[in-house]
């Protein structure tokens, strides 16, 4: 791996982290217009779908000329990972914003590198070092600190419900990351992104159909502008960037680089949503980020 190749991958992951950091801001803004989570997710993926379909057609033509076809097993894992990472994880994450702030959501979501570590240890028999155990302690200490000022609030029930949604989302995203680390080199980053996103759109639309009969066209114009922006800036661009980044630096390195995400979100939440972030939460965030960094540092060395 050349240094240029690695740094290009790192830059792509960093760019995707910034784009994904915007997600919570847009969701909170959209929720002001009383749209539910699955309707907003359907708008996001539905608007992005034609772009992915155009790329899919181009890939199909290219594959025919090169006589490259995916195996049934590869199609299965593409669909499974797409649904896990872009439908299940996204829906759980969207639901969480009904209960907690954008800043706290982003801190909690960054438990996912610890889940990546655990999954790799259990299923791939990768040894967990003493340094990584220390990192786990730092990460969860930071989570507890971030919770401290909210636990005694009147909305304590909402806090815990939101936290559960975020942690479940983090587990789903961890499974996606670990799986994609093996599948992307086999099928290619571009193909993986396109077909995984198309696969995720199908259950999303079916979910919306079951819940509200796809009644998503009665909201103010601002909602559709938010949906369009999310489709491009929080979906199409970062999904291509993150898969290209993972291909170049690996899932462990990607999770470390992307740990800058909570800092982006906290800054945006305070400046756009007027959320109040205390020094205790900032300290908790720094502990989480330090833990995330240490989780992969030993192996990356």
């Amino acid at each position: 791996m050349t240094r240029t190749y690695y740094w290009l991958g790192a830059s792509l992951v960093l760019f995707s982290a910034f784009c994904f950091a915007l997600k919570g801001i847009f969701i909170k803004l959209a929720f002001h217009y009383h749209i539910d989570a699955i309707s907003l997710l359907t708008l996001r993926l539905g608007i992005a779908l034609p772009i992915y379909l155009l790329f899919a057609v181009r890939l199909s033509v290219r594959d025919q000329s090169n006589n490259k076809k995916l195996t049934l097993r590869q199609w299965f894992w593409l669909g499974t990972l797409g649904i896990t990472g872009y439908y299940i994880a996204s829906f759980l994450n969207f639901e969480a914003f009904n209960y907690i702030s954008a800043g706290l959501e982003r801190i909690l979501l960054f438990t996912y590198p610890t889940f990546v570590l655990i999954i790799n240890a259990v299923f791939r028999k990768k040894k967990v070092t003493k340094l990584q155990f220390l990192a786990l302690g730092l990460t969860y200490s930071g989570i507890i600190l971030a919770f401290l000022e909210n636990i005694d609030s009147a909305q304590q029930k909402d806090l815990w419900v939101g936290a559960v949604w975020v942690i479940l989302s983090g587990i789903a995203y961890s499974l996606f990351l670990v799986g994609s680390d093996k599948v992307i080199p086999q099928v290619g980053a571009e193909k993986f992104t396109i077909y995984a996103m198309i696969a995720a759109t199908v259950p999303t639309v079916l979910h919306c159909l079951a819940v509200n009969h796809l009644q998503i066209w009665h909201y103010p114009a601002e909602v559709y502008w938010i949906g369009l922006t999310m489709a491009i800036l929080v979906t199409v661009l970062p999904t291509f960037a993150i898969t290209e980044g993972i291909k170049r630096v690996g899932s462990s390195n990607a999770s470390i680089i992307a740990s800058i995400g909570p800092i982006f979100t906290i800054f945006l939440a305070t400046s756009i949503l007027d959320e109040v972030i205390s020094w205790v939460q900032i300290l908790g965030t720094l502990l989480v980020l330090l833990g995330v960094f240490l989780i992969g540092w030993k192996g990356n060395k």
Side-chain angles (χ1 to χ4, degrees):
M1 181 190 296
T2 66
R3 183 170 295 183
T4 301
Y5 186 84
Y6 178 88
W7 282 111
L8 176 58
S11 298
L12 288 169
V13 174
L14 188 64
F15 171 74
S16 70
F18 176 74
C19 291
F20 286 134
L22 291 168
K23 180 181 64 177
I25 309 302
F26 287 125
I27 293 172
K28 281 291 190 181
L29 291 173
F31 279 1
H32 289 160
Y33 299 97
H34 307 291
I35 186 172
D36 60 281
I38 190 59
S39 294
L40 183 59
L41 181 58
T42 302
L43 281 176
R44 175 196 179 190
L45 295 184
I47 294 172
L49 180 62
I51 300 173
Y52 289 113
L53 288 174
L54 285 173
F55 278 100
V57 171
R58 185 175 68 87
L59 279 179
S60 178
V61 172
R62 189 178 70 187
D63 286 351
Q64 284 181 359
S65 63
N66 295 331
N67 198 26
K68 291 182 179 179
K69 292 184 179 180
L70 297 180
T71 65
L72 187 61
R73 181 183 178 86
Q74 288 171 334
W75 279 116
F76 170 79
W77 282 112
L78 269 174
T80 301
L81 290 170
I83 290 169
T84 302
Y86 296 128
Y87 161 60
I88 297 176
S90 293
F91 173 70
L92 295 171
N93 188 236
F94 275 46
E95 277 289 341
F97 285 101
N98 286 305
Y99 305 98
I100 58 177
S101 68
L104 184 57
E105 176 273 340
R106 190 54 33 170
I107 297 170
L108 291 173
L109 187 61
F110 267 74
T111 54
Y112 81 79
T114 69
F115 299 138
V116 170
L117 177 67
I118 293 167
I119 291 167
N120 280 326
V122 173
F123 295 103
R124 295 186 178 177
K125 308 302 180 183
K126 290 187 177 181
K127 184 180 178 181
V128 180
T129 66
K130 292 180 180 179
L131 186 64
Q132 288 172 328
F133 275 117
L134 172 64
L136 288 173
L138 287 171
T139 300
Y140 288 101
S141 296
I143 296 294
I144 292 170
L145 273 180
F147 256 70
L148 277 179
E149 293 193 350
N150 302 89
I151 286 179
D152 293 328
S153 69
Q155 296 180 326
Q156 185 180 124
K157 182 180 178 181
D158 284 355
L159 177 71
W160 288 108
V161 171
V164 169
W165 283 120
V166 176
I167 290 171
L168 290 175
S169 175
I171 293 172
Y173 190 65
S174 301
L175 293 169
F176 164 78
L177 271 183
V178 173
S180 64
D181 205 12
K182 290 192 68 176
V183 177
I184 289 173
Q186 297 175 13
V187 304
E190 184 183 19
K191 188 176 294 184
F192 177 87
T193 300
I194 292 166
Y195 291 127
M197 290 302 303
I198 293 172
T201 305
V202 175
T204 300
V205 172
L206 291 176
H207 186 167
C208 189
L209 180 65
V211 169
N212 57 27
H213 307 290
L214 281 177
Q215 299 296 316
I216 58 175
W217 304 111
H218 59 280
Y219 297 103
E222 289 83 355
V223 170
Y224 303 105
W225 281 113
I226 292 171
L228 176 63
T229 306
M230 290 182 69
I232 303 300
L233 194 56
V234 188
T235 308
V236 174
L237 295 180
T239 53
F240 280 116
I242 190 66
T243 47
E244 285 289 342
I246 290 172
K247 183 178 75 172
R248 286 166 169 79
V249 305
S251 61
S252 294
N253 283 330
S255 67
I256 294 168
I257 296 165
S259 65
I260 193 66
I263 302 298
F264 288 146
T265 301
I266 287 172
F267 173 77
L268 293 167
T270 53
S271 58
I272 297 175
L273 301 178
D274 295 324
E275 290 185 2
V276 177
I277 306 295
S278 69
W279 284 107
V280 173
Q281 287 176 309
I282 292 173
L283 178 59
T285 302
L286 293 175
L287 285 175
V288 170
L289 297 185
L290 178 59
V292 168
F293 177 80
L294 290 176
I295 281 172
W297 180 75
K298 180 76 172 179
N300 295 333
K301 260 183 89 178

